[in-house]
Amino acid sequence: MQPLSLLSMMLGLALMRRSGSDVSGSIVTDNQTPPPFPASRLRMSPVAADPDKILPTSVYMPLRAVKPDWSFNIPNIAGPYLIRVDGLPNDWMVKAV
Protein backbone atom coordinates (compact mmCIF):
# COMPACT_ATOMS: atom_id res chain seq x y z
CA MET A 1 0.00 0.00 0.00
CA GLN A 2 1.41 3.38 -1.01
CA PRO A 3 0.85 6.52 1.09
CA LEU A 4 -1.50 9.06 -0.44
CA SER A 5 0.10 12.39 -1.22
CA LEU A 6 -1.94 15.33 -2.42
CA LEU A 7 -0.56 18.25 -4.37
CA SER A 8 -1.82 21.74 -3.58
CA MET A 9 -2.91 22.14 -7.23
CA MET A 10 -5.49 19.33 -6.91
CA LEU A 11 -8.87 20.92 -6.37
CA GLY A 12 -12.21 19.21 -6.05
CA LEU A 13 -10.79 15.92 -4.77
CA ALA A 14 -12.99 14.13 -2.25
CA LEU A 15 -11.91 11.03 -0.36
CA MET A 16 -14.69 8.94 1.09
CA ARG A 17 -14.18 6.23 3.66
CA ARG A 18 -16.19 3.06 3.17
CA SER A 19 -17.61 1.28 6.16
CA GLY A 20 -16.19 -2.08 7.09
CA SER A 21 -17.82 -5.44 7.55
CA ASP A 22 -19.47 -6.88 10.63
CA VAL A 23 -17.87 -10.01 12.06
CA SER A 24 -20.17 -12.23 14.10
CA GLY A 25 -20.00 -15.72 15.52
CA SER A 26 -20.45 -17.79 18.61
CA ILE A 27 -18.32 -19.59 21.18
CA VAL A 28 -18.72 -23.38 21.07
CA THR A 29 -16.95 -26.20 22.88
CA ASP A 30 -15.76 -29.50 21.41
CA ASN A 31 -18.69 -31.36 22.98
CA GLN A 32 -21.26 -28.68 21.98
CA THR A 33 -22.14 -27.80 25.60
CA PRO A 34 -21.88 -24.32 27.11
CA PRO A 35 -18.58 -23.61 28.89
CA PRO A 36 -18.67 -23.93 32.70
CA PHE A 37 -18.09 -20.20 33.23
CA PRO A 38 -20.18 -17.11 32.43
CA ALA A 39 -20.05 -15.69 28.92
CA SER A 40 -19.71 -12.22 30.47
CA ARG A 41 -16.08 -12.92 31.40
CA LEU A 42 -15.06 -13.16 27.71
CA ARG A 43 -14.20 -10.28 25.38
CA MET A 44 -13.49 -10.45 21.66
CA SER A 45 -10.58 -8.29 20.61
CA PRO A 46 -9.80 -7.53 16.95
CA VAL A 47 -6.05 -7.08 16.39
CA ALA A 48 -4.61 -5.67 13.16
CA ALA A 49 -2.94 -8.50 11.25
CA ASP A 50 -0.76 -6.00 9.39
CA PRO A 51 -0.76 -2.49 10.90
CA ASP A 52 0.69 -1.10 7.65
CA LYS A 53 -2.54 -2.00 5.82
CA ILE A 54 -4.95 -0.47 8.33
CA LEU A 55 -6.21 3.09 8.14
CA PRO A 56 -5.03 5.15 11.14
CA THR A 57 -8.64 5.67 12.24
CA SER A 58 -9.18 1.89 12.30
CA VAL A 59 -6.17 0.86 14.40
CA TYR A 60 -7.98 0.92 17.76
CA MET A 61 -10.96 -1.42 17.95
CA PRO A 62 -12.70 -1.69 21.33
CA LEU A 63 -13.19 -5.03 23.08
CA ARG A 64 -16.60 -6.58 22.45
CA ALA A 65 -18.45 -8.56 25.09
CA VAL A 66 -19.72 -12.07 24.45
CA LYS A 67 -23.51 -12.18 24.91
CA PRO A 68 -25.22 -14.56 27.36
CA ASP A 69 -26.12 -16.89 24.44
CA TRP A 70 -22.34 -17.10 23.65
CA SER A 71 -22.64 -15.05 20.46
CA PHE A 72 -20.61 -11.95 19.59
CA ASN A 73 -20.59 -9.19 16.99
CA ILE A 74 -17.74 -6.88 16.05
CA PRO A 75 -19.00 -4.10 13.76
CA ASN A 76 -17.16 -2.12 11.11
CA ILE A 77 -13.97 -4.17 10.62
CA ALA A 78 -12.02 -2.77 7.66
CA GLY A 79 -8.83 -4.56 6.70
CA PRO A 80 -7.07 -7.74 7.80
CA TYR A 81 -7.68 -8.50 11.48
CA LEU A 82 -7.06 -11.41 13.82
CA ILE A 83 -9.66 -12.10 16.50
CA ARG A 84 -8.36 -12.61 20.03
CA VAL A 85 -10.48 -14.09 22.82
CA ASP A 86 -9.68 -12.45 26.17
CA GLY A 87 -10.82 -13.76 29.55
CA LEU A 88 -10.51 -17.52 29.03
CA PRO A 89 -9.58 -19.58 32.11
CA ASN A 90 -5.89 -20.57 32.26
CA ASP A 91 -6.61 -24.18 31.25
CA TRP A 92 -8.68 -23.19 28.17
CA MET A 93 -7.50 -22.26 24.66
CA VAL A 94 -8.93 -21.32 21.28
CA LYS A 95 -8.96 -24.28 18.90
CA ALA A 96 -10.27 -22.55 15.77
CA VAL A 97 -11.70 -19.27 14.55
Side-chain angles (χ1 to χ4, degrees), residues 4-7 9-16:
L4 178 65
S5 107
L6 302 175
L7 302 175
M9 290 185 267
M10 296 179 82
L11 299 175
L13 177 67
L15 300 176
M16 303 199 48

Side-chain angles (χ1 to χ4, degrees), residues 6-72:
L6 302 175
L7 302 175
S8 61
M9 290 185 267
M10 296 179 82
L11 299 175
L13 177 67
L15 300 176
M16 303 199 48
R17 181 176 185 252
R18 291 189 287 171
S19 61
S21 300
D22 289 357
V23 174
S24 60
S26 58
I27 306 292
V28 296
T29 61
D30 284 341
N31 60 7
Q32 305 301 312
T33 60
F37 50 86
S40 60
R41 84 178 266 163
L42 299 183
R43 299 284 184 268
M44 306 306 288
S45 173
V47 179
D50 185 350
D52 292 335
K53 294 185 179 177
I54 302 297
L55 292 173
T57 57
S58 300
V59 173
Y60 172 73
M61 300 290 291
L63 296 174
R64 297 292 175 173
V66 174
K67 297 174 188 165
D69 67 354
W70 296 95
S71 67
F72 63 90

Side-chain angles (χ1 to χ4, degrees), residues 77-94:
I77 298 257
Y81 278 86
L82 305 173
I83 306 298
R84 177 180 296 152
V85 182
D86 295 318
L88 287 171
N90 288 337
D91 56 340
W92 281 67
M93 62 183 250
V94 174

